[in-house]
Amino acid sequence: MTAIDYPERTVPAPVPTTLLTDTWYLTGRKLHALVRQPWVLAFSVIQPAIWLFLFGALFHKVIDIPGFGYQGSYLAYLVPGIVALNAMSGNMWAGMSMIEEIERGTLNRLLVTPASRLAIMNASVVEQAVATTVQTLIIVVLGYAGGARYPGGVTGIIVLVIAAVGIGVFWGALSNMTGMLLRSREAIIGVYTFFMLPLMFLSSAFIQTSLMPGWMQAIASRNPLNWEVQVGRSVLSANPDWAGVAIRCGGILALALIAIAISVTTFRSYAKNV
């Protein structure tokens, strides 16, 4: 009886992964979900568009107040403020997605894969950055269609987007931390409600800080949202104050990195308890 030699089955070698490749694939997963639901991105721009044209029409005479000190239309003045508000308000809800992934068990399934823990958080940050970039560009285009002009040109718009992404990452990371710690949608809504309106009116989004009471000016000077508004308004002007822009962008970057570090620490604590 002749023995039959079967060819040996070759087991494919595992594909090596790195932090970069893991981040790439996990970000792609999140962006594919966003592409499948484009209405989510569209609806997130509706409120900023209403703010832009409603407040732009309602307060268009404000620019004539003596001492207002802005060369251009009020709509052009308003655009950086609306961009900043959108970056903050849109990313404050990031924790909702984190809670949803926890409840569905998706996050726990990812934790048992070889994927880097840091890559899981990086994917969330990159997704937020992409969404904020798209929304910011839409607001800029809507403002231009309404008559706003940007003497700072393409360079100014790029810096505006970078600053918006920075402030969005800052609030998104804090929201993710809140979602993992409290796992309560009500808590995220409470944080949003507590911070949104005060920070909005304690900034130069709608009016120059020089026209505010002294105590409000003091708070506005330390308000990260106001830093982003001032950066955007400066870089879109004909004569940007690049020194001031660099200082404020540095402050936003520092806050974003601190928030990410806190969020990652919270995530690692969660992963240990799974």
Side-chain angles (χ1 to χ4, degrees), residues 92-93 96 99 171 175 178-179 182 184-199:
M92 272 185 168
W93 298 110
M96 293 289 196
I99 292 174
W171 287 108
S175 181
T178 305
L182 303 179
S184 167
R185 292 178 175 83
E186 291 76 12
I188 293 176
I189 294 171
V191 170
Y192 175 91
T193 305
F194 181 81
F195 282 105
M196 182 63 185
L197 287 179
L199 289 178

Side-chain angles (χ1 to χ4, degrees), residues 166-223:
I167 207 71
V169 167
F170 170 66
W171 287 108
L174 292 182
S175 181
N176 283 333
M177 177 199 69
T178 305
M180 283 183 289
L181 283 177
L182 303 179
R183 304 183 199 179
S184 167
R185 292 178 175 83
E186 291 76 12
I188 293 176
I189 294 171
V191 170
Y192 175 91
T193 305
F194 181 81
F195 282 105
M196 182 63 185
L197 287 179
L199 289 178
M200 180 172 69
F201 289 111
L202 290 170
S203 75
S204 57
F206 300 110
I207 194 167
Q208 294 280 37
T209 53
S210 59
L211 300 176
M212 295 179 180
W215 65 272
M216 293 183 71
Q217 292 184 34
I219 297 175
S221 66
R222 296 164 178 79
N223 181 358

Side-chain angles (χ1 to χ4, degrees), residues 101-169:
E101 291 209 341
I102 290 174
E103 291 179 346
R104 288 182 174 180
T106 308
L107 187 59
N108 292 353
R109 287 195 292 271
L110 284 175
L111 289 173
V112 299
T113 67
S116 166
R117 301 293 188 266
L118 187 57
I120 296 173
M121 295 304 296
N122 285 348
S124 178
V125 171
V126 175
E127 180 208 16
Q128 293 162 15
V130 171
T132 301
T133 297
V134 173
Q135 292 165 352
T136 298
L137 293 175
I138 291 173
I139 293 169
V140 169
V141 170
L142 289 175
Y144 188 87
R149 293 298 177 262
Y150 315 116
V154 175
T155 301
I157 294 173
I158 291 173
V159 177
L160 172 70
V161 169
I162 293 172
V165 168
I167 207 71
V169 167

Side-chain angles (χ1 to χ4, degrees), residues 234 240-250:
S234 180
D241 174 17
W242 290 112
V245 167
I247 292 172
R248 293 184 181 97
C249 282

